[in-house]
Amino acid sequence: DTGVSQNPRHKITKRGQNVTFRCDPISEHNRLYWYRQTLGQGPEFLTYFQNEAQLEKSRLLSDRFSAERPKGSFSTLEIQRTEQGDSAMYLCASSPTARGGGEKLFFGSGTQLSVL
Amino acid sequence: ELKVEQNPLFLSMQEGKNYTIYCNYSTTSDRLYWYRQDPGKSLESLFVLLSNGAVKQEGRLMASLDTKARLSTLHITAAVHDLSATYFCAGDTGTYKYIFGTGTRLKVLA
């Protein structure tokens, strides 16, 4: 299967701990996105990469959040000193670069984070 | 900053009926996207609307875009139970950053 893969599917952690999530995009896609979704809400933009360059980061994102995409392949999202408010589904998506724009996003199944 | 609003937020409809979901956005966005999310699942792309007046249809769903009114609609024709899901629209800020609405939770009753 060549879809977007996210690991782990579920993560339970205690407040104050650090967590890291991984996303493997579709191989030929050069854009990679991270979104956060809470129950009953739409996905909230966190950040995105074009190849290895992080092009934009949400102003709502605190400095406890950091994302990397070394060599423009997989990406990791790290949350330091987790808080209960960080509990959410973290979604990764990738897209190709289409001439003229209008690329749709291909989403992974997400990582559900629960902070106790 | 682009804001995207959908209405209604919840929609319960009978099988066989027609209905429309509305998506308004706050600033210029030449492209508009519709996604579907089933409970416990991730999002799946439905439509990509690239220009003013664009109309796309797939089965019982039809999406349209009016960039002058900053409005997109998702029309459901003769609803069936399988269409029960949450539908999201998303606008493009022009920098490949996609902003999603809060979603419309659709329940089709037999």
Side-chain angles (χ1 to χ4, degrees), chain A residues 66-91:
Chain A
S66 63
E68 293 183 343
R69 193 183 181 196
K71 301 179 183 177
S73 56
F74 71 92
S75 176
T76 57
L77 177 68
E78 181 183 16
I79 309 174
Q80 296 182 325
R81 305 181 303 281
T82 53
E83 301 173 356
Q84 287 183 326
D86 297 332
S87 296
M89 175 73 82
Y90 289 83
L91 295 169

Side-chain angles (χ1 to χ4, degrees), chain A residues 12-37:
Chain A
I12 300 173
T13 191
K14 292 182 179 178
R15 189 175 52 187
Q17 297 294 305
N18 299 343
V19 294
T20 300
F21 311 140
R22 176 177 171 127
C23 171
D24 288 89
I26 294 171
S27 59
E28 62 268 26
H29 287 184
N30 57 8
R31 290 205 183 98
L32 185 147
Y33 297 78
W34 286 99
Y35 283 85
R36 176 172 62 190
Q37 187 178 27

Side-chain angles (χ1 to χ4, degrees), chain B residues 27-103:
Chain B
T27 63
T28 301
S29 178
D30 290 337
R31 297 185 282 264
L32 199 290
Y33 306 79
W34 286 95
Y35 290 83
R36 168 181 172 146
Q37 186 175 37
D38 290 293
K41 301 288 181 64
S42 195
L43 284 84
E44 176 188 353
S45 175
L46 291 174
F47 299 111
V48 177
L49 302 169
L50 296 180
S51 61
N52 186 41
V55 177
K56 295 277 184 73
Q57 183 162 5
E58 180 77 30
R60 301 174 188 273
L61 300 178
M62 183 173 72
S64 66
L65 177 62
D66 181 345
T67 58
K68 293 178 183 177
R70 297 180 184 166
L71 171 69
S72 180
T73 60
L74 181 66
H75 186 73
I76 302 155
T77 301
V80 293
H81 180 72
D82 285 352
L83 290 180
S84 297
T86 300
Y87 293 86
F88 294 97
C89 63
D92 179 350
T93 62
T95 59
Y96 305 104
K97 173 183 167 183
Y98 303 93
I99 304 299
F100 284 78
T102 50

